[in-house]
Amino acid sequence: MSKEITSRAQDYSQWYNDLIIKGGLADYSAVRGCMVIKPYGFALWENMRDVMDRMFKETGHQNAYFPLFIPKSLFEAEEKNAEGFAKECAVVTHYRLKTDPANKGKLIVDPEAKLEEELVVRPTSEAIIWNTYKTWIQSYRDLPILVNQWANVVRWEMRTRLFLRTAEFLWQEGHTAHATKEEAVEETVKMLNVYADFVENWMAVPVIKGVKTPNERFAGAEDTYCIEAMMQDGKALQAGTSHFLGQNFAKAFDVKFSDKNNKLEYVWATSWGVSTRLIGALVMAHSDDSGLVLPPRIAPLQVVIVPIFKGEEQKAQIDARVHQLMKELKALGISVKYDDSDNSRPGWKFAEYELKGVPVRVAIGARDLENNVAEIARRDTKEKNTVSLEGLSNYIQNLLEEIQQNIYNRAKQFRDEHITPANSWDEFVQLLDTKGGFIAAHWDGTAETEDKIKELTKATIRCIPLDNQPEAGVCILTGKPSAQRVLFARAY
């Protein structure tokens, strides 16, 4: 099985694609730039979605749904936002097809069915949502509004990669409205912390929390907070963003409220989102040359049991014991599958579940049954142990927690070893080309220098860490004074 997977060392990009396709997460589609998320990949997304949805609701948010189409006039109302997304917009101009009179059986766009106003397929929903909030908000009593939507969005990408960058993707977008700036900033930071909690504690991917530079900010935001993760090839990946939008959208859509003193004020706003690209992060942060490695807390399948037998009598005995074990595992909330299908050999099944990243594999043969034991293999380290069937369900429950922690520790050790300071331009370039990872370096704070560094090296400022320590120094490119180091990296 593993022979079919390109190794990370040979071609990281091809390795990633092999895992997505052969691991059964997604497939290419007939639509250029769009993918099909297969049941196994969608089960993974559902598990991630369910955890985040619970976290959002625990922090007071409610789900709603807004239209897929945004009238162009609404979309262009907030100029920075419209400009930021203009090049990626899919636009609907007509609402009907008709049979081609010159070619029966073929369809053409009906020229008489032209829309009076073009509709933009949402690349993000601020415009349609703030136009709606205008009717929902009159007084301070209507605030805050804490709304989230689970949706699909379209950003017309020319160079696509499964999960990381596709023309259509699934995500959630939170859009909140507040009476004060302080409250909106507090919300922005709170949601960043929710994302960091989820990515670290469920996905087992360590992240750095920070703010983006003005250059890298969301179009239309006053401040963009982000979590940045490190992939095994030393490239960074932005795993989530939370934006303090100030009053930009309230002013663009004239959303005012009367405060406690009956004075009219503009509303303060936030938006925040993560997408199916988190699945790409998960694959690249943990997996190996044998296949996917999935953290138990969000794996679609946590345990698989494979019987090894000769003849129906042996199988019946194994079945009886396995059904008891499955009942115990399910009672502990563990997802388990008994693969007793007779269309493939145990060795093939082992390789298949290894490829799919199932955290724990249990093999039980007739002799194991006589000795009251089972063979337990863990996906993260590939260690195998013979364990007593007595108390096996509790053993597996503890093992899943241990695997979760180990996957995180491994990723964190790799990330920490790939944060390196650079004190000169030559050192910076050399680190980028040889070691990769996050490079902590001084920058003079100007957009021109940031652009120049990106042009010369393809490295961007990933973030200014929230826990950054002030440190006087000089910019690696211009030699001008700098008050702190920032994190540079090449990124996805």
Side-chain angles (χ1 to χ4, degrees):
M1 208 69 189
S2 60
K3 287 188 198 73
E4 297 176 26
I5 296 171
T6 309
S7 77
R8 282 168 295 184
Q10 189 188 333
D11 184 342
Y12 192 84
S13 181
Q14 190 54 51
W15 164 79
Y16 172 78
N17 278 352
D18 286 353
L19 289 198
I20 300 285
I21 301 288
K22 291 171 182 166
L25 297 180
D27 210 343
Y28 296 106
S29 81
V31 188
R32 185 168 175 263
C34 295
M35 66 174 175
V36 173
I37 303 176
K38 293 178 77 173
Y40 192 60
F42 202 77
L44 181 57
W45 176 241
E46 283 178 315
N47 285 352
M48 293 161 75
R49 189 188 65 190
D50 291 350
V51 174
M52 284 190 279
D53 198 60
R54 196 167 64 240
M55 293 168 100
F56 297 159
K57 284 169 181 163
E58 279 165 7
T59 45
H61 301 83
Q62 293 177 302
N63 289 332
Y65 187 81
F66 295 85
L68 173 69
F69 303 115
I70 304 169
K72 186 163 78 71
S73 56
L74 287 186
F75 192 73
E76 63 197 6
E78 211 290 328
E79 284 173 39
K80 284 197 296 257
N81 185 54
E83 204 179 303
F85 286 104
K87 291 188 177 118
E88 299 176 345
C89 289
V91 185
V92 180
T93 56
H94 292 72
Y95 60 85
R96 193 167 57 214
L97 298 169
K98 67 174 193 175
T99 305
D100 184 353
N103 194 349
K104 289 289 180 218
K106 297 293 178 192
L107 295 169
I108 57 167
V109 173
D110 186 344
E112 287 175 20
K114 195 172 190 318
L115 290 170
E116 278 177 40
E117 182 181 2
E118 294 94 341
L119 296 171
V120 174
V121 182
R122 64 172 166 231
T124 180
S125 297
E126 277 80 3
I128 194 81
I129 288 178
W130 278 89
N131 180 63
T132 309
Y133 283 179
K134 184 182 162 76
T135 62
W136 292 3
I137 298 166
Q138 268 81 46
S139 113
Y140 69 90
R141 291 187 187 89
D142 302 320
L143 297 167
I145 291 177
L146 306 175
V147 160
N148 172 64
Q149 87 165 343
W150 292 95
N152 60 337
V153 286
V154 170
R155 295 181 186 174
W156 213 259
E157 298 278 1
M158 284 304 142
R159 291 201 308 278
T160 57
R161 296 192 67 178
L162 296 166
F163 286 114
L164 294 177
R165 207 172 279 277
T166 46
E168 179 195 15
F169 54 91
L170 303 182
W171 77 346
Q172 59 69 218
E173 46 181 326
H175 296 273
T176 70
H178 305 267
T180 67
K181 178 181 180 175
E182 292 68 33
E183 218 182 283
V185 170
E186 187 190 322
E187 162 81 5
T188 312
V189 175
K190 180 197 287 176
M191 297 323 291
L192 184 80
N193 289 328
V194 166
Y195 287 154
D197 177 9
F198 171 72
V199 175
E200 295 201 328
N201 293 312
W202 271 266
M203 289 176 55
V205 176
V207 295
I208 291 171
K209 294 186 267 195
V211 286
K212 291 286 190 191
T213 61
N215 255 16
E216 295 282 329
R217 242 178 236 156
F218 174 71
E222 301 280 309
D223 255 321
T224 289
Y225 293 78
C226 61
I227 48 173
E228 292 286 329
M230 178 55 55
M231 302 300 101
Q232 292 179 71
D233 62 346
K235 277 191 184 171
L237 187 135
Q238 180 180 287
T241 50
S242 185
H243 315 288
F244 167 58
L245 302 174
Q247 294 171 310
N248 294 343
F249 283 89
K251 286 174 178 167
F253 292 93
D254 197 33
V255 186
K256 291 180 182 148
F257 72 104
S258 52
D259 67 12
K260 287 179 181 170
N261 306 317
N262 227 7
K263 191 165 153 266
L264 273 184
E265 294 282 357
Y266 283 110
V267 178
W268 296 85
T270 82
S271 69
W272 28 274
V274 298
S275 74
T276 36
R277 95 183 309 226
L278 282 180
I279 293 177
L282 192 71
V283 171
M284 287 203 283
H286 303 313
S287 301
D288 60 25
D289 289 353
S290 305
L292 300 167
V293 173
L294 300 178
R297 284 184 193 168
I298 52 167
L301 182 60
Q302 294 168 309
V303 180
V304 65
I305 305 171
V306 178
I308 298 165
F309 60 92
K310 285 192 179 105
E312 287 307 308
E313 193 186 329
Q314 284 188 0
K315 177 158 190 311
Q317 289 172 336
I318 295 170
D319 283 355
R321 189 65 189 85
V322 167
H323 288 134
Q324 189 189 331
L325 175 61
M326 285 179 70
K327 213 162 129 186
E328 291 168 17
L329 288 170
K330 283 176 180 171
L332 293 170
I334 293 165
S335 62
V336 55
K337 174 183 174 180
Y338 182 34
D339 188 347
D340 62 348
S341 60
D342 57 4
N343 54 5
S344 44
R345 300 169 69 87
W348 188 91
K349 291 177 184 178
F350 291 175
E352 179 70 6
Y353 292 112
E354 185 169 77
L355 172 63
K356 285 187 171 299
V358 177
V360 172
R361 185 182 78 227
V362 181
I364 300 183
R367 191 172 304 154
D368 294 323
L369 218 51
E370 280 170 29
N371 298 325
N372 202 34
V373 295
E375 182 191 75
I376 308 293
R378 48 189 287 184
R379 177 62 186 90
D380 59 336
T381 61
K382 300 192 180 176
E383 287 171 73
K384 290 179 195 165
N385 280 308
T386 304
V387 179
S388 167
L389 287 172
E390 300 308 320
L392 183 58
S393 51
N394 287 337
Y395 174 88
I396 289 172
Q397 186 181 33
N398 293 333
L399 183 62
L400 287 168
E401 278 305 307
E402 198 182 307
I403 292 170
Q404 180 80 26
Q405 191 60 48
N406 181 52
I407 291 176
Y408 176 79
N409 292 349
R410 237 172 24 186
K412 186 171 187 301
Q413 186 182 346
F414 180 87
R415 195 276 313 272
D416 291 350
E417 285 167 1
H418 287 79
I419 303 176
T420 321
N423 297 311
S424 70
W425 180 252
D426 290 345
E427 191 184 0
F428 179 76
V429 174
Q430 192 197 347
L431 279 168
L432 271 176
D433 291 340
T434 55
K435 185 179 178 184
F438 290 119
I439 300 172
H442 282 282
W443 158 65
D444 64 19
T446 69
E448 295 76 48
T449 301
E450 191 178 357
D451 286 337
K452 191 73 186 157
I453 292 173
K454 183 177 177 177
E455 186 192 317
L456 293 169
T457 64
K458 291 195 169 69
T460 50
I461 298 175
R462 300 315 302 158
C463 69
I464 302 162
L466 292 184
D467 59 1
N468 230 11
Q469 300 303 313
E471 178 193 300
V474 295
C475 174
I476 47 164
L477 184 69
T478 63
K480 290 179 185 163
S482 151
Q484 62 181 349
R485 289 180 187 267
V486 296
L487 290 183
F488 287 89
R490 290 184 180 134
Y492 283 97

